Amino acid sequence: MLLPLSVALAVTVGAAGLSIGDVFQTIAVHLGVPPAPLTGLQDAIVWELRLPRVLLAALVGGGLAVCGAVLQALTRNPLADPYLLGISSGASTGAVAVLILGLGSGAAAALTAGAFTGSLLAFCCVLALIGMTLGGSIRVVLAGVAVSQLFGALTSLIVIWAGDDRSTRGVTFWLLGSLASAGWTTAALCAAATGIALAVCWFASPALDAFAFGREAAASLGIPPARTQLILFVTTALSTAALVAASGAIGFVGLVVPHAVRFLVGSRHRVLLPACALYGAIFLLWADTAARTLFSPREIPVGVLTALIGVPAFAVIMRRRSAGS
């Protein structure tokens, strides 16, 4: 009940005075239930503006947290996050190509498609560097860093070569992460991406538990390391690509939330992954609510707020981890 209640409460927060009853009444009307609808303006605020955005925030937060937990297990690297495989840098390059070079006339759908295409190109570059057998986790990390630097350089080149003041501001806002363009189509795509990633990774929970002790330990338990890693890397990469294409690069959710959740539920992935999805969703949902209301009428990119919260939280987690070891 915690997540549905958070969604309902977050929809009521904003300049227009709405109650939880108004939210449920609007949802009931759109589902074909008899209660009389609200005014046209109130209905549009709930159904067209706030509800898709709140749901998108929950889906992106839950998806990033799950992908972060999986990658931390696969690479045995506590600093791994969903952007480890160059996904964020590739998405940035694709989005910048649309915003500045005018590909697709800069439409919202073109921006999403460009970011998703860039993410996939970055991941293909990582696979080309490490090979389909993947090798050790160090190779994956190094390949991800190299590809991130490559696409980061391409993004900077496009901005410097062809950008103007207006387009550069738009690029900066997107790179910092924003859910302002949320809609029902985008939310549905992210729901599919998050749901598939959670299902695939949850069924692979025993393998993820084994990978915590290394590839050799996983192989000794009858788990094919290369094939399992490839499936999980591809799953997390495609899911992250879809989420980043919809929201931009929102940092620290996939890094901090899995560490925090481990303190609450332990490290068994069959419990950890659903918990990461839940707490990641709630965290980003309220972070975005704060980002759009704290400095009203201005809105700050939610990625700025998650970084401001995430850095101190990560420092506390690391200190507790050091004290416990």
Side-chain angles (χ1 to χ4, degrees):
M1 287 299 294
L2 187 59
L3 181 57
L5 182 59
S6 294
V7 169
L9 286 174
V11 173
T12 67
V13 178
L18 295 168
S19 66
I20 292 182
D22 294 332
V23 175
F24 285 118
Q25 185 176 345
T26 299
I27 294 173
V29 168
H30 283 273
L31 293 178
V33 179
L38 304 176
T39 65
L41 179 59
Q42 290 176 316
D43 181 79
I45 290 172
V46 173
W47 189 255
E48 300 297 336
L49 296 178
R50 291 190 189 169
L51 189 57
R53 178 165 180 167
V54 168
L55 291 175
L56 181 62
L59 291 165
V60 171
L64 291 178
V66 168
C67 291
V70 171
L71 290 172
Q72 287 166 12
L74 288 177
T75 62
R76 302 178 66 193
N77 183 350
L79 296 179
D81 72 354
Y83 308 135
L84 174 73
L85 302 174
I87 300 298
S88 175
S89 296
S92 300
T93 302
V96 166
V98 171
L99 287 170
I100 292 184
L101 300 181
L103 303 180
S105 302
L111 178 64
T112 302
F116 186 76
T117 302
S119 299
L120 294 186
L121 286 174
F123 181 60
C124 289
C125 289
V126 171
L127 286 182
L129 286 175
I130 62 179
M132 297 301 287
T133 58
L134 298 181
S137 60
I138 298 298
R139 289 186 63 189
V140 175
V141 173
L142 293 177
V145 170
V147 170
S148 294
Q149 292 298 316
L150 171 63
F151 279 88
L154 290 175
T155 300
S156 299
L157 180 62
I158 295 172
V159 172
I160 293 171
W161 189 266
D164 54 27
D165 291 343
R166 180 172 173 272
S167 61
T168 301
R169 283 196 299 272
V171 167
T172 302
F173 199 84
W174 190 91
L175 292 177
L176 293 173
S178 174
L179 299 165
S181 61
W184 284 109
T185 301
T186 306
L189 291 174
C190 288
T194 298
I196 292 171
L198 179 58
V200 172
C201 296
W202 187 80
F203 279 112
S205 293
L208 289 170
D209 292 337
F211 275 115
F213 300 97
R215 285 167 60 96
E216 293 77 11
S220 68
L221 294 173
I223 297 168
R227 188 178 69 184
T228 304
Q229 280 186 305
L230 181 61
I231 291 172
L232 292 175
F233 275 133
V234 169
T235 299
T236 54
L238 292 178
S239 177
T240 302
L243 298 176
V244 172
S247 64
I250 300 175
F252 280 93
V253 178
L255 175 63
V256 174
V257 172
H259 286 293
V261 173
R262 283 190 189 94
F263 280 113
L264 299 176
V265 302
S267 298
R268 290 183 62 249
H269 286 85
R270 196 167 289 277
V271 178
L272 176 66
L273 295 181
C276 282
L278 173 63
Y279 288 105
I282 293 172
F283 171 72
L284 190 58
L285 181 158
W286 284 111
D288 182 61
T289 301
R292 66 179 170 82
T293 57
L294 283 181
F295 302 97
S296 182
R298 289 191 174 186
E299 178 179 323
I300 63 173
V302 66
V304 173
L305 195 57
T306 57
L308 291 174
I309 298 171
V311 171
F314 190 67
V316 171
I317 291 170
M318 289 298 97
R319 285 184 65 87
R320 290 189 60 181
R321 186 167 181 164
S322 298
S325 60

